[in-house]
Amino acid sequence: MEKIRVVLADDNTAILELVKEYFSETPDIELVCAVSDGAQVRDAVLTHAPDVLVTDIIMPRRDGFRILEELQELPQSARPKVIVLTGLSGDDFILRALRLGASYYMVKPFDLRLLASRIREIASSFDQNAIAELPAQVPDAGGGIDEQVTNLFLTIGIPAHIKGYHYLREAVRMVVENRDIINRITKELYPGIARKFDTSASKVERAMRHAIDVAWSRGRLDSVNSMYGYKVLSPDDKPTNGEFIALIADKVGMKKSA
């Protein structure tokens, strides 16, 4: 099987060495080039023709956003898929990266197995059936779920500082681990979250509703749809708390079992 070709751009030498070592033992992914200077990324892409570029945002001479802009100037056939891997977790950074063409946004610290999984998912030039048959390399359920949900919520536009964000994230985790609990949302899900956060079930329900309202008012749903390649969320069809939790849990659960 032809390997997925990857270029890595990060000015942290420890991360460069860590990723190099990891992918040297990964049979289906080849790290063809690693650079620590943002001004070198465009040339590295043109020289090595990677399937996927993994880049940080904070880089010498060219930041990640400028790198994404430069890639947009290349012919479509020369543009790799892009994963942004950075320590910047603000939802404005995420939205800007996605608008500039990034396929996925990961926040440091990261799990190498999850990075490999994301690379496989977005390497669209490879046969999907073949990718599905590769050995699973996913992180432990807790970390993987948290990172996936965090990316989704921030992309959708649910701000991390509001209570509903944390309640919804806990709800998704609970439903992924026990699908049946979504059918007992008022009797078990809300009360379980309320006990964990030392509040009431009614406040949990209201805070979740507020978080979903905020997301739908921000109009960022197209970014999520672009991450999956098809329409996942609709601005004209705002879901109930239960429908939203079930939808996100379904997406996370599918990736968990992949």
Side-chain angles (χ1 to χ4, degrees):
M1 183 187 299
E2 187 180 356
K3 289 188 175 184
I4 301 170
R5 297 168 58 82
V6 176
V7 166
L8 172 66
D10 198 303
D11 65 341
N12 186 320
T13 56
I15 288 179
L16 290 179
E17 292 305 315
L18 185 68
V19 175
K20 281 182 186 178
E21 181 180 356
Y22 182 80
F23 286 130
S24 69
E25 300 177 358
T26 305
D28 59 306
I29 298 174
E30 179 184 5
L31 184 61
V32 295
C33 182
V35 298
S36 58
D37 185 334
Q40 299 173 340
V41 175
R42 184 179 182 276
D43 287 343
V45 166
L46 291 173
T47 300
H48 297 280
D51 302 293
V52 179
L53 167 67
V54 180
T55 182
D56 197 356
I57 292 293
I58 305 300
M59 297 275 291
R61 296 207 291 168
R62 300 276 198 288
D63 65 25
F65 298 124
R66 180 58 189 147
I67 290 169
L68 287 168
E69 290 171 347
E70 288 184 341
L71 293 181
Q72 292 296 316
E73 298 167 0
L74 298 178
Q76 183 70 39
S77 60
R79 298 178 203 166
K81 300 289 187 180
V82 181
I83 294 176
V84 172
L85 179 63
T86 182
L88 301 176
S89 60
D91 53 352
D92 288 341
F93 295 120
I94 295 173
L95 184 61
R96 184 179 178 189
L98 293 172
R99 283 177 171 168
L100 287 172
S103 297
Y104 203 82
Y105 195 107
M106 297 181 68
V107 179
K108 298 175 182 177
F110 64 101
D111 188 300
L112 283 163
R113 293 168 296 176
L114 183 60
L115 175 60
S117 178
R118 293 291 170 268
I119 288 171
R120 294 186 182 104
E121 288 174 13
I122 70 169
S124 59
S125 62
F126 285 75
D127 181 73
Q128 293 302 310
N129 293 326
I131 292 174
E133 293 169 0
L134 292 170
Q137 295 194 35
V138 296
D140 295 337
I145 291 172
D146 281 346
E147 182 159 355
Q148 291 174 48
V149 174
T150 296
N151 270 288
L152 276 170
F153 283 5
L154 293 178
T155 302
I156 293 169
I158 301 177
H161 67 275
I162 65 175
K163 291 180 179 179
Y165 171 98
H166 302 284
Y167 298 163
L168 284 167
R169 189 169 66 172
E170 179 64 20
V172 170
R173 185 187 297 114
M174 291 170 68
V175 172
V176 169
E177 297 302 326
N178 178 10
R179 298 290 305 183
D180 233 17
I181 200 171
I182 195 66
N183 299 316
R184 302 186 297 275
I185 190 167
T186 57
K187 292 185 177 180
E188 291 189 30
L189 189 67
Y190 290 155
I193 295 169
R195 285 192 296 272
K196 178 169 183 176
F197 290 92
D198 192 26
T199 186
S200 68
S202 61
K203 288 182 179 179
V204 168
E205 180 180 12
R206 287 197 301 271
M208 286 182 176
R209 171 46 44 192
H210 171 66
I212 294 171
D213 288 343
V214 169
W216 256 250
S217 70
R218 290 188 170 192
R220 298 181 179 178
L221 307 185
D222 285 345
S223 296
V224 177
N225 294 335
S226 68
M227 289 170 66
Y228 285 98
Y230 61 94
K231 195 169 186 178
V232 177
L233 302 171
S234 170
D236 302 320
D237 188 18
K238 185 164 60 179
T240 65
N241 289 358
E243 289 170 342
F244 180 80
I245 293 165
L247 176 66
I248 300 301
D250 181 56
K251 299 304 171 189
V252 174
M254 286 171 61
K255 292 179 181 296
K256 179 187 173 187
S257 60

